[in-house]
Amino acid sequence: MTATLPRPVHRAAPRLRRDRRRWAWGLGAAALLVWSLAGAGSSGGGVVNPGGTAQLARFAAAAWDPALDAPYLGVLARSVLVTVAHAAAGTALALVVGAAGAVLVSRAAGGRRWAARGLLAVPRGLHEAVWGLLLVNVLGLDPWVAVLAIGLPAGAATAQVFAALVDEVPREAYRALLAAGAGRPAAALYGLLPPAAGGLLSYAAYRLECAVRSAVVLGMVGAGGLGYQLALSFASLRWAQVWTAVYALAALSLLAELGGRAARRRLAAPPPSPSERRDPVLTAAAAGTVVLVGWSAWYLALSPASLVSAGTAEQLAYLSAAAWPPATDGGLLRTVAGLAVDTVQVSVLAVAVALPGALLLAGPAARAERPTPARRVTGALVRGGLLLLRTVPAPVWALVALFVLRPGVLPGALALAAGTLGVLGRLAAEVTEELDPRPRAALAALGARPVGAWLYGVAPRAAGPVLAHALHRWEVAVRDTVLVGLLGAGGLGALLATELATFDWAAVTTVLAAVVVLTWAVDVVSDRARAALR
Amino acid sequence: MLRLAGVTVRYGGTAALDGVDLTVAPGERVALLGASGAGKSTLLAVANGSVAPTAGAVRVLGGSPADRRVRARVGTVHQSLELVGRLRVVHNVNAGLLADWSAARAAWSLVRPQGLPEVLAALERVGLADRAFERTERLSGGQRQRVALARLLVQRPDLVLADEPASALDPVLADRALTLLGETAAARGGALVAALHDPALVRRHCDRVVGLAGGRVVLDRPVAGVSAADLGGLYGAVP
Ligand SMILES: Nc1ncnc2c1ncn2[C@@H]1O[C@H](COP(=O)(O)OP(=O)(O)OP(=O)(O)O)[C@@H](O)[C@H]1O
Ligand SMILES: [Mg+2]
């Protein structure tokens, strides 16, 4: 009898192979970050200005003591209506533009996406405030200025995101429908849209919230409403009034957010209904939205006639002639190039600061299924903090940062990081909320610690979407850098403001072209990075 | 091993389980039978603590299924597997060791897989050693089912719960999967409770049959005493 010994298996042992492409992207990101940090450090001299701490303290203290006198509240209430009307009409325009644009740029539509992408890069490359300043020169002081300034860039951004959301849906169902003989539109309707619907609606709600912020920013550059009041109070150092305006703004954002969330919940988990009737709550919400947009158009006295009047056409023709060809003298180009480098560094640092913060806060900010009272309170506090961070416009954060920091890359980066953290924290929380809870529950059921269950059950699935959001915020940060500059913090924005003030249209074109090219380049890089993440 | 007393689970108006009494002793291999929607998955979820009963009491291995140390000794193959597609196979399998690991070790393992010999041995037993470092979402349905099985093997549980663990496997692999589950339970003197649909598998691998209908236990006897008529009644007559 021969004993059989277990023989070693002579097969090439499988090895862990890293995904080279993703490592390359990771290294690239690290290099970009180091370069930006070097830029922030090299502004020379100290970066801290200790003289401003007293002012900062007074500003912070006023948070607990906002202005509540009747006349100011009355003024504020009227500004709120203007801002709401701007935001609602702007969002409506953005969603229409976005849905149409998404069809053009989505991968499902195939072919012409690079051309379409290029077309969208122009409207979305420019900040709302820049659009506002340009449109004022064409339309004069018309209510359309604010609506178009919100709707055009937001529409282009929406198109991009709608397309990305549809592209990120797993393709199996869609391909199965195509294989079964369905046409492309029908297959998309049944195989791509339903899984993406939650994300699309969520983004539409987020767009409304953004529109509130855009409307405020436009107010700061002169379109009236809440932003105008905020700028006025800030300029006259009335901190108590600033905070009242900020709280009003936060309340508005919260309303937009809660409305969107409720609608999203309702769509995701409709109450059981035996009949074929539509959900009455959703129907009412849709009708309410239509009424709100109608009211906005009426309240602002939007008239299509002013868009196509002879005066408008004449002004447009004059500006086009003055703005072309763009200025190309060496001095200007060198200045623009230098400022463009600053802009990239500011935006990279903003995202680099915001992303870890967002990841840390996403857990507490996400709504738990069965929360304890303590969990409920921390959740509400974190969500409130994030709301405040993203509600206060970046230029205000920049002014606050300038109390204690010397002008340069750092204050700009911190100001943008605040808003980016506010948005990214919320988006990351939503990503984790929308994940199927069962894999994590399965790990909890086999005795994993909460951290372990999160690392294996949640993090791998959330990482891709959160990084995709972060990359998208990077694009937004580039545009916001221009806005912060426009209101005085230097950079490309300040240059643009000077040229607009002196009606140097040829130079304006040069700077705008630089901004558009920069945003477009960032967009291409971030799109490639997102593809590597899939 | 496992004792349910008067366990009821309600989802809104419907009762998924309705006053279930069930005791499983060490060494037993119990087949859970019942039509779709009868409550098999719910019963297993109550046993591993992922669903808390609306009424009634649950004791598992002498403790509460909410206790992490008890949970570490209960292994489950879930009906929908609950693997993370984006993770590599090794990581989904070593997740079975998470109960023993510190948070730091769990995190480090995502970079450099820990417990690799055990994980590869478990994958060898389910015939997937050569796919260890692939992304789980690239595997076929039956292969994924075997990954979930490997996760349970590395966990070395005392009580093995399996929810249709062979539904996506060919007959040979299905037989092998149930053998592995039975061996895992037996290795530590534990018990196996498996929701199954295939009478042949039930006869070969189990010694007791518990039949559920409409959330109630309607049949409970040794496998030898179960007739074809009993099974017919179980699947035909949902109240
Ligand atoms: N999370 C849930 N929410 C609402 N109802 C549920 C939930 N889980 C199960 N149910 C209901 O409880 C009942 C029993 O479900 P269960 O999953 O236990 O059945 P099952 O016997 O495992 O069926 P199958 O063989 O199809 O897997 C079903 O009517 C189901 O609709
Ligand atoms: Mg089931």
Side-chain angles (χ1 to χ4, degrees):
Chain A
M1 209 171 131
T2 50
T4 50
L5 288 173
R7 268 183 305 146
V9 186
H10 285 294
R11 186 172 38 191
R15 278 186 335 112
L16 184 62
R17 299 175 72 92
R18 305 280 174 202
D19 185 334
R20 291 245 180 84
R21 206 160 54 122
R22 278 201 256 166
W23 274 81
W25 277 105
L27 287 178
L32 196 60
L33 179 58
V34 169
W35 174 69
S36 304
L37 276 172
S42 71
S43 37
V47 284
V48 178
N49 166 24
T53 39
Q55 191 67 274
L56 182 67
R58 275 196 294 281
F59 170 77
W64 275 265
D65 190 19
L68 293 172
D69 55 298
Y72 182 64
L73 287 183
V75 169
L76 214 55
R78 276 190 297 282
S79 337
V80 166
L81 288 184
V82 173
T83 298
V84 166
H86 283 159
T91 308
L93 181 63
L95 292 180
V96 171
V97 172
V103 173
L104 292 180
V105 288
S106 96
R107 264 176 242 274
R112 309 161 303 279
R113 36 189 287 281
W114 281 104
R117 226 162 237 277
L119 205 68
L120 288 179
V122 175
R124 64 185 292 273
L126 299 179
H127 195 278
E128 299 86 291
V130 177
W131 274 108
L133 292 175
L134 293 177
L135 287 164
V136 157
N137 281 288
V138 178
L139 295 168
L141 286 175
D142 192 275
W144 274 110
V145 170
V147 175
L148 288 173
I150 294 171
L152 292 179
T158 304
Q160 197 104 51
V161 171
F162 275 11
L165 283 170
V166 170
D167 285 342
E168 267 159 32
V169 168
R171 281 301 159 93
E172 288 81 10
Y174 175 67
R175 284 203 208 100
L177 286 166
L178 285 183
R184 265 169 181 273
L189 207 59
Y190 282 85
L192 295 181
L193 218 49
L200 296 180
L201 202 76
S202 165
Y203 187 75
Y206 158 71
R207 217 57 253 187
L208 182 63
E209 224 190 306
C210 290
V212 170
R213 264 174 283 142
S214 306
V216 172
V217 165
L218 282 166
M220 294 184 82
V221 301
L226 212 45
Y228 180 65
Q229 294 304 325
L230 188 62
L232 218 57
S233 307
F234 210 105
S236 48
L237 310 184
R238 291 199 206 111
W239 305 134
Q241 291 189 357
V242 167
W243 280 101
T244 316
V246 165
Y247 291 139
L249 194 48
L252 263 187
S253 294
L254 189 64
L255 263 175
E257 190 178 315
L258 289 180
R261 169 181 291 275
R264 201 149 27 90
R265 283 268 163 90
R266 197 83 185 185
L267 265 184
S273 144
S275 70
E276 286 283 301
R277 279 189 28 240
R278 283 173 205 290
D279 184 344
V281 175
L282 278 179
T283 313
T289 311
V290 171
V291 170
L292 179 66
V293 172
W295 169 83
S296 304
W298 168 82
Y299 186 75
L300 296 173
L302 287 179
S303 137
S306 55
L307 282 183
V308 292
S309 75
T312 304
E314 202 174 292
Q315 186 65 10
L316 196 59
Y318 163 72
L319 279 185
S320 312
W324 200 260
T328 51
D329 57 291
L332 179 68
L333 290 185
R334 262 191 302 281
T335 314
V336 167
L339 294 176
V341 165
D342 284 355
T343 302
V344 172
Q345 291 180 334
V346 165
S347 62
V348 167
L349 287 179
V351 175
V353 170
L355 183 59
L359 291 179
L360 285 178
L361 293 178
R367 272 156 226 266
E369 249 180 271
R370 273 180 247 113
T372 59
R375 175 74 178 67
R376 222 183 268 273
V377 172
T378 22
L381 282 178
V382 171
R383 281 194 294 275
L386 291 175
L387 179 73
L388 212 59
L389 281 176
R390 64 178 175 266
T391 300
V392 175
V396 173
W397 284 126
L399 294 173
V400 171
L402 286 175
F403 286 154
V404 287
L405 296 174
R406 295 191 198 286
V409 167
L410 198 59
L414 287 181
L416 290 177
T420 307
L421 174 57
V423 175
L424 215 49
R426 175 195 162 186
L427 290 174
E430 276 179 2
V431 165
T432 52
E433 279 171 17
E434 289 202 348
L435 288 178
D436 181 353
R438 290 179 305 177
R440 180 199 208 161
L443 295 176
L446 62 77
R449 284 164 222 273
V451 176
W454 186 85
L455 279 173
Y456 283 75
V458 177
R461 293 182 299 152
V466 170
L467 281 176
H469 281 307
L471 286 165
H472 173 63
R473 289 313 300 180
W474 180 35
E475 300 164 28
V476 176
V478 169
R479 297 176 335 118
D480 279 359
T481 312
V482 176
L483 162 74
V484 169
L486 207 55
L487 288 158
L492 281 173
L495 185 60
L496 187 64
T498 320
E499 282 155 0
L500 279 171
T502 54
F503 302 109
D504 187 351
W505 292 107
V508 167
T509 308
T510 308
V511 177
L512 290 184
V515 172
V516 168
V517 168
L518 194 61
T519 331
W520 176 79
V522 166
D523 173 20
V524 169
V525 172
S526 111
D527 186 59
R528 288 282 165 88
R530 269 196 291 252
L533 281 174
R534 255 191 288 276
Chain B
M1 281 270 106
L2 172 64
R3 172 171 296 147
L4 311 189
V7 166
T8 297
V9 174
R10 286 188 178 283
Y11 291 111
T14 58
L17 289 181
D18 190 359
V20 168
D21 296 305
L22 179 70
T23 304
V24 177
E28 275 194 300
R29 295 176 302 169
V30 180
L32 213 51
L33 300 187
S36 179
K40 303 180 296 292
S41 297
T42 308
L43 193 151
L44 294 173
V46 166
N48 71 21
S50 42
V51 167
T54 320
V58 188
R59 298 286 287 171
V60 182
L61 303 167
S64 150
D67 181 348
R68 209 169 65 78
R69 277 163 311 176
V70 170
R71 289 177 163 210
R73 296 168 55 205
V74 178
T76 313
V77 177
H78 299 264
Q79 185 167 16
S80 38
L81 308 181
E82 315 307 1
L83 300 169
V84 175
R86 296 192 67 95
L87 283 180
R88 291 164 197 268
V89 171
V90 252
H91 291 131
N92 269 310
V93 176
N94 81 21
L97 297 165
L98 281 177
D100 304 332
W101 286 359
S102 67
R105 186 158 189 213
W108 180 237
S109 184
L110 288 171
V111 183
R112 202 155 273 290
Q114 303 286 294
L116 207 50
E118 281 167 272
V119 169
L120 290 179
L123 284 170
E124 187 78 55
R125 290 175 80 191
V126 300
L128 282 179
D130 52 335
R131 314 297 293 268
F133 296 104
E134 244 169 272
R135 274 225 214 160
T136 310
E137 62 198 3
R138 302 224 176 98
L139 269 51
S140 75
Q143 289 167 339
R144 285 181 216 183
Q145 202 157 31
R146 288 184 278 151
V147 172
L149 190 60
R151 175 167 75 185
L152 182 131
L153 294 182
V154 302
Q155 192 193 345
R156 296 176 200 269
D158 294 329
L159 175 60
V160 175
L161 306 174
D163 200 346
E164 300 180 27
S167 58
L169 301 180
D170 63 58
V172 174
L173 280 175
D175 201 62
R176 168 125 184 92
L178 274 144
T179 307
L180 283 173
L181 288 169
E183 282 173 6
T184 307
R188 303 174 50 106
L192 165 68
V193 181
L196 292 171
H197 280 314
D198 179 357
L201 283 179
V202 173
R203 289 191 197 285
R204 244 194 330 275
H205 295 281
C206 301
D207 27 55
R208 176 179 164 197
V209 169
V210 171
L212 286 174
R216 289 192 198 154
V217 176
V218 293
L219 179 82
D220 187 352
R221 68 177 73 136
V223 71
V226 178
S227 66
D230 288 334
L231 295 182
L234 213 47
Y235 292 112
V238 183

